[in-house]
Structure formats: structure tokens, C-alpha cells
Amino acid sequence: MFAYNLEMALRSLKRNRALTLLMVLAIALGIGSSMTTLTVLHVLSGDPIPESSTQLYYPQMDPRDMDGYTSTSKPPDQLSYPDGMALLKAARGTHQALMTGGAVPIQPPQSGIEPFIEDARYTTADFFPMFNVPFIFGHAWASPDDEAKARVVVITRELNDKIFNGKDSTGQSLRVNGHDLRIIGVIDNWRPNPHFYDLNMSTYSEKENVFVPLFTARDLKLERNGSSDCWGNNGNDGEHMETADCVWLQFWVQLDSPAKAADYKQFLIHYSQEQKALGRFQRPPNVALRNVMEWLDYNKVVPGDVRLQVWLALGFLVVCLVNTVGLMLAKFLRRASELGVRRALGASRRVIFTQLLVEAGLVGLVGGVAGLLLSLVGLWLVRLQPSDYASLAHLDLSMLLATFVLAVSATLVAGLLPAWRACQVVPALQLKSN
């Protein structure tokens, strides 16, 4: 029966090609604009580390003085050095890592390559197992290397390809800011987006290519490029951040169950109470503990203009569907005499209704193909924009399937009214008029 309905739909669509083309074009324009913006939203709001995002938490506490304090004040987005070290040494999670961002000059061993600057991450050993960072050569450093301020470095495949032509570079020296660091590992392709573990840098920035132990970086005075927030009279001179009244470090902890997360939050409250009793904290305990997706939602990482564009595109799709309804209604009613004859010959309303919906679905399918092509063009235009997320605008399999599902579903919904209206044709009147 479906094959028959499909054959009838094809014949009907070929009979009035201009009207068919207008319907396909309306669907294609609506689908193309909608899927372009929805794909960008999908990419920007996705889970950057789906295998463990519900187990990774970002603690916050408030060590600031009373200047500007209100009962609704939120804790800072970063930690001070003493607090970060306290949480790191407490080791309450399966893994925990203290970190900050930086930028370092690299002097390649080959004379033919000019020195260049690379983004860096200064962190502690648990960063790599906690975030499931893959390696192609070597391994990460261990906790004793943190404490010993070991002169070691982990680099990415991209940097390894640039300097060592993709060969195993473990054991080689990399000159960083005038210091020789021994390469112990090379990371495979790894670029979580958004850049969830440090939103103080660009949210969708390029990945860091150099990873150095945090305490080694401080010992060698490697340059930071992260943000900081200071209070009181100490200020931020860049070199004495360990003792300054400033928050400038990120801290992540892996807690494998909701019960452990609840216990950890109580630990943060007790720690804040202790620090207040010691006179170091002045404000009442003010802590927060959010997992990855909660942290991203709290920071509103998806740009507001992207959400606005989605709503505008969906509104445009509705306009296109309304036009499609009008075109289908005109097309189906022009066939009133044909439908009346078929009813008189015994075809039920259900059969006619089904056949007309198959025709509408076929329009949606063709419109979906055309809309997919328009989406690819739209995403290409997005990638030409200067936004830091532009390079991420690619259509994946899930959005490819969503394109056709949306196109066919929307067209079927749009075809309900015209199909129902066409089924109300009275056979006797059509036979009499003929």
C-alpha cells in the first residue's frame, strides 16, 4: 500500500512542478536556517567530557574581606594559593588537580624553526587521569614529581609533529623560557569544548600544547596568562601570588557518588568555618560545589546571541511552514474533482488522507536534502566568522539525522490541515459539477 501511495505522490508532485518547487524551497529555507543555528547551539552546549562529567566537581569558597560584602554575594570563581593547597593536600577525592593557565616561549632544537609562544597549562599530576587525557607516547608525571618540582613537560601531538616530525620525543629536551625540560609524554588529540576546566581563558579557545607541573612553573617563574582577583592592600605583583590575598587558581576534584559530593561540600563548609575562626576568612562560610555541566550552566558559556539566533531561525521555520500549509491547501483543493471521483469509486477518507500525507512527507524529505545543503553552506559561513567558537561549527551524525527528522516531521504536521480539508470533499458535488 505504501508503494502505491508513493507512486501516487510522485505523479501528483510532477503534475505541478512549479508549486512543488515552491513547497520544497520553503521547507529547505526553514530547515537550512534552523539546522545551522541548532548545530552551533548543539556544539557549544554539549558535554565536553561525557564519560565523567557527573563525577567532576569545581569547589568554590570565599576568602575575601568584608569590603563589598552582601548576604547574596557569590564566592569567587577561583581559589587562593593557601586554599588550593589545603584542598590538594586533603586529597578527599579519587583525583584532584590544582592548576592555572600560562604562555611560554619555545626554542626548538632545530635551527630552521624560529622560537614561538605556546599556551601552557601549569597543573598537578592528577590532571591527566582525572580528565582521561590520552597519550600516544610516554606518560604523565607522578605526584612525587610535583613535590620535587621536577623539570619535566608533557606536550601535545600537534607540538610534537611541529618540532619532532611526529616521532617519539620522550626523553628529549624541550627548551621552555630558557630552561631545558625533559619530555616524558605526548598527548594524543584531546580538545574538550567548552574549555571547561578553566573558563577564565577563552571559553572555546585553542588547546594548550604544553603541560608543566604547577610548582615547577612557579619555581621557574613561567608566565601566567590567567585572571586574578585581589583584595586588601597586598595587590598582585605576579611573582608573590602564593602569599598575596588573591584568587587565581582552578581546582577540580573527582567524586564518584552523590554521597561523596555531599560529604565534600560539608568538608568545604567546615574548612571555611575553621579559617574564619583562625581570623583568615572574614566572611561567613560561602561555598559551592558544581559538576561540569552545572559549572558551565552557572557561567552561561553559550553566547546569548547564539540562543537568540536559534529562536529567530525557528520563527522563520514556522513562517515557512505556514506558507507550505497554504501551498499544500491550494494544491490539494485543486484536486477536489479527482479526490471526489476516487471517493465515489470506494476510496475511504482514511486512504485519501494517508496518500496526501505521504505526498507531504515526500516534500519534506526532498526539502530536508535541500535544507541540509543550505545548512552546510551556513556552517561554512559561520566558520569564516572571527568568533572563538567558529571553527567548531561542523555537522555531526546526530544533527544530520535531526535535519531529516525535523524536515519530514514538520512537513507532515504542516500537511495535516490541507489533507484533512481535502478529505472533506463531498463526492456527489464533485460528480455533479463534472
Side-chain angles (χ1 to χ4, degrees):
M1 189 65 182
F2 178 76
Y4 172 75
N5 287 333
L6 185 60
E7 181 182 356
M8 293 291 292
L10 288 171
R11 288 182 180 180
S12 175
L13 293 175
K14 290 178 181 178
R15 192 177 305 152
N16 194 330
R17 300 189 180 188
L19 198 56
T20 299
L21 181 61
L22 286 175
M23 290 189 293
V24 169
L25 183 60
I27 293 296
L29 289 174
I31 293 298
S33 61
S34 298
M35 293 312 301
T36 297
T37 55
L38 283 172
T39 298
V40 173
L41 180 63
H42 169 71
V43 170
L44 300 188
S45 60
D47 189 339
I49 184 167
E51 64 274 12
S52 55
S53 62
T54 58
Q55 300 172 349
L56 301 179
Y57 290 84
Y58 191 84
Q60 294 172 266
M61 60 181 70
D62 198 342
R64 296 172 295 183
D65 57 28
M66 296 299 291
D67 187 23
Y69 170 76
T70 66
S71 59
T72 58
S73 296
K74 297 179 180 178
D77 288 348
Q78 300 184 96
L79 294 179
S80 67
Y81 185 83
D83 297 326
M85 288 300 298
L87 298 188
L88 186 66
K89 291 180 178 179
R92 292 273 183 141
T94 305
H95 296 293
Q96 43 270 310
L98 188 64
M99 68 192 80
T100 188
V104 293
I106 303 294
Q107 184 176 349
Q110 303 92 331
S111 59
I113 303 179
E114 294 292 328
F116 54 90
I117 302 294
E118 282 288 353
D119 286 339
R121 173 80 8 198
Y122 312 139
T123 184
T124 52
D126 275 6
F127 177 94
F128 302 96
M130 182 166 62
F131 294 146
N132 304 315
V133 180
F135 281 80
I136 53 172
F137 301 124
H139 52 79
W141 64 84
S143 296
D145 295 319
D146 283 325
E147 299 168 4
K149 301 178 182 178
R151 302 293 180 91
V152 296
V153 63
V154 168
I155 63 175
T156 62
R157 176 196 285 267
E158 179 181 332
L159 185 58
N160 188 66
D161 290 344
K162 182 175 182 178
I163 299 179
F164 300 101
N165 297 318
K167 298 179 181 178
D168 185 353
S169 59
T170 55
Q172 301 286 331
S173 290
L174 183 68
R175 195 156 185 81
V176 178
N177 197 33
H179 304 280
D180 287 326
L181 302 182
R182 180 171 55 89
I183 300 173
I184 61 171
V186 178
I187 294 174
D188 203 352
N189 296 323
W190 183 73
R191 183 188 173 186
N193 275 296
H195 193 262
F196 71 95
Y197 53 84
D198 185 359
L199 296 176
N200 300 284
M201 301 174 66
S202 180
T203 305
Y204 299 96
S205 66
E206 293 292 334
K207 62 184 179 183
E208 304 99 339
N209 283 325
V210 178
F211 295 79
V212 179
L214 175 63
F215 309 130
T216 302
R218 297 303 297 166
D219 186 50
L220 299 178
K221 295 181 171 54
L222 300 185
E223 182 181 352
R224 287 184 62 250
N225 63 1
S227 66
S228 60
D229 181 17
C230 302
W231 60 93
N233 299 319
N234 289 338
N236 172 15
D237 61 5
E239 293 188 4
H240 300 89
M241 297 295 287
E242 287 82 357
T243 57
D245 289 332
C246 301
V247 289
W248 56 283
L249 291 162
Q250 303 87 48
F251 183 84
W252 284 89
V253 59
Q254 180 178 335
L255 304 168
D256 296 333
S257 69
K260 289 184 178 180
D263 290 343
Y264 199 91
K265 189 169 185 178
Q266 286 300 314
F267 162 68
L268 295 176
I269 294 173
H270 293 326
Y271 174 82
S272 297
Q273 291 171 337
E274 291 174 358
Q275 296 302 306
K276 182 172 174 59
L278 293 172
R280 189 170 154 266
F281 283 14
Q282 297 183 29
R283 301 187 179 193
N286 185 13
V287 305
L289 186 67
R290 297 179 174 90
N291 64 28
V292 172
M293 297 307 292
E294 292 169 344
W295 179 241
L296 295 178
D297 183 62
Y298 172 75
N299 284 276
K300 297 179 173 60
V301 299
V302 179
D305 60 333
V306 172
R307 296 187 184 277
L308 177 61
Q309 289 167 9
V310 169
W311 285 112
L312 291 176
L314 291 177
F316 181 63
L317 175 60
V318 171
V319 172
C320 292
L321 290 176
V322 170
N323 283 312
T324 303
V325 169
L327 293 171
M328 282 189 181
L329 191 58
K331 180 176 174 56
F332 292 167
L333 291 181
R334 286 176 62 179
R335 297 167 55 194
S337 58
E338 172 197 335
L339 298 176
V341 170
R342 291 185 61 193
R343 287 290 315 282
L345 292 175
S348 66
R349 286 181 176 176
R350 182 179 63 81
V351 170
I352 299 295
F353 185 78
T354 302
Q355 190 260 309
L356 294 178
L357 278 188
V358 170
E359 185 173 333
L362 190 58
V363 170
L365 184 60
V366 177
V369 173
L372 175 62
L373 298 177
L374 291 178
S375 298
L376 295 175
V377 173
L379 293 173
W380 173 72
L381 292 175
V382 171
R383 290 194 293 274
L384 296 179
Q385 301 303 309
S387 304
D388 59 356
Y389 60 79
S391 63
L392 304 175
H394 291 277
L395 199 68
D396 59 19
L397 180 60
S398 63
M399 296 308 292
L400 178 65
L401 296 175
T403 299
F404 292 103
V405 170
L406 179 61
V408 175
S409 301
T411 313
L412 286 175
V413 171
L416 288 174
L417 176 61
W420 176 82
R421 181 67 183 82
C423 288
Q424 306 309 308
V425 170
V426 179
L429 293 177
Q430 297 303 319
L431 293 174
K432 183 177 179 180
S433 63
N434 289 333

